[in-house]
Amino acid sequence: MNYLFLRLQMIYHVNLAERNSVIIFDEVQMQPLARQAIKHLVKDRRYDYIETGSLLLIKKNIKNIAIPSEETRLQLFPVDYEEFRWALGDAVTVPLLLDTYEKMLPVGDDINRKLLRDFRLYMLVGGMPQAVDAYIETNNLSMVDQVKLNILELYEDDFRKIDPSGRAGMLFDAIPAELNKNASRYQVSSVIAGERAERVREILADMQDSMTIYISYHADDPGVGMSLHKDPRRFKLFLCDTGLFVTLAFKDRDFRKTKYMKSF
């Protein structure tokens, strides 16, 4: 183990300080044995470790390895609106909005228009950290859109790895069109001819676990114990991030020519 740490320091030209350094295993799904080795590294106690990677493939690439009990899983979400304002250097707007809401105070038409414009900007950029960084660094929405297109391509690459038939990618790509319909549910058969929701349930579960999509089920009684009234055959699909949704909806068009940009 000492040799491993020595090699890491020589390769990356860093000094590892005991109990004050963290080692990151990026794309850990590509090396399942490295994930298994975390058990011994944590036991050594010299350093801390973070594993990152595709949730879709982390679930799949576990054959012949022991899943380390030392793993503590953290759920990470896209940046929310308040965090987005913080990233833009604005720590005032959201607290003031909460205060005026609690006191039921009007803000006036001019301020209301500005607030709505700011919120539309967030809906457009979304909360993916790379997209937010691109907006801050370039102030160019076309560049932001390219970043989001790259993220969507990575999603679809992962879909093909877990489902070579291509059904996962088709279900994902059709989300904007299905939401645009005046229908009470996501119609799987209209996306994949002859397919039924029951037969793609495992694929949808994998996609939801990876947090690329959210599934909203129909419930006859949305009160306490809603899960008792959930209808697993009737559902709608949503993307995990509003910015990705906008890009997916218009990915076959020049971004600057979309109706959304003309209204922004």
Side-chain angles (χ1 to χ4, degrees):
M1 199 169 292
N2 290 333
Y3 179 68
L4 169 65
F5 295 139
L6 178 62
R7 289 273 296 167
L8 286 174
Q9 292 176 92
M10 292 180 65
I11 292 171
Y12 292 102
H13 306 291
V14 296
N15 290 317
L16 293 175
E18 290 191 20
R19 303 310 312 146
N20 199 35
S21 293
V22 61
I23 298 174
I24 299 175
F25 286 72
D26 193 21
E27 303 295 347
V28 73
Q29 78 279 0
M30 305 302 295
Q31 296 292 336
L33 290 177
R35 181 183 179 192
Q36 179 176 268
I38 287 288
K39 184 179 189 73
H40 307 288
L41 294 172
V42 171
K43 188 176 180 179
D44 178 72
R45 297 186 60 81
R46 271 180 273 184
Y47 311 110
D48 294 317
Y49 304 90
I50 297 174
E51 300 169 291
T52 70
S54 164
L55 284 175
L56 279 171
L57 298 183
I58 282 176
K59 285 185 61 180
K60 297 295 181 181
N61 293 350
I62 58 175
K63 186 178 180 181
N64 300 324
I65 72 166
I67 303 301
S69 59
E70 288 74 13
E71 284 184 348
T72 299
R73 297 187 182 185
L74 299 177
Q75 275 196 321
L76 301 180
F77 300 90
V79 171
D80 64 23
Y81 182 60
E82 184 173 18
E83 292 167 331
F84 180 71
R85 297 310 307 172
W86 291 344
L88 298 183
D90 175 13
V92 175
T93 295
V94 173
L96 287 177
L97 278 173
L98 291 172
D99 187 54
T100 55
Y101 173 77
E102 290 171 358
K103 295 177 180 178
M104 300 297 289
L105 297 173
V107 296
D109 290 342
D110 290 342
I111 294 178
N112 188 57
R113 279 193 292 270
K114 180 187 181 302
L115 292 173
L116 288 175
R117 178 181 170 84
D118 290 344
F119 186 68
R120 286 198 298 271
L121 174 65
Y122 168 70
M123 297 289 283
L124 179 60
V125 174
M128 302 304 285
Q130 285 178 298
V132 176
D133 283 345
Y135 177 73
I136 293 171
E137 292 172 5
T138 68
N139 196 33
N140 185 322
L141 292 175
S142 293
M143 296 294 291
V144 174
D145 196 54
Q146 187 57 55
V147 168
K148 292 186 291 177
L149 282 171
N150 293 340
I151 294 173
L152 290 174
E153 288 176 4
L154 290 175
Y155 282 0
E156 294 185 352
D157 285 345
D158 283 350
F159 293 154
R160 283 190 288 271
K161 292 172 184 174
I162 66 161
D163 176 45
S165 71
R167 290 176 297 171
M170 293 171 68
L171 293 168
F172 183 79
D173 285 346
I175 290 176
E178 287 296 306
L179 288 174
N180 196 45
K181 292 180 180 178
N182 186 24
S184 63
R185 70 183 77 183
Y186 187 105
Q187 297 173 323
V188 173
S189 60
S190 69
V191 177
I192 307 172
E195 192 60 276
R196 295 192 302 175
E198 292 80 4
R199 292 203 290 258
V200 297
R201 192 169 294 165
E202 184 177 348
I203 293 174
L204 291 175
D206 284 340
M207 294 168 70
Q208 184 177 36
D209 286 347
S210 72
M211 297 182 67
T212 51
I213 65 168
Y214 293 137
I215 304 178
S216 178
Y217 290 99
H218 173 83
D220 293 324
D221 183 1
V224 177
M226 184 170 66
S227 60
L228 297 173
H229 304 277
K230 182 178 77 173
D231 184 350
R233 298 166 301 175
R234 298 174 63 188
F235 57 85
K236 289 193 174 186
L237 301 183
F238 300 87
L239 264 69
C240 64
D241 177 71
T242 60
L244 292 181
F245 175 81
V246 172
T247 298
L248 181 62
F250 297 106
K251 74 173 186 177
D252 58 341
R253 298 185 57 190
D254 186 327
F255 185 71
R256 289 163 294 183
K257 295 179 181 177
T258 64
K259 291 181 180 178
Y260 193 98
M261 282 304 298
K262 290 178 180 178
S263 65
F264 189 75

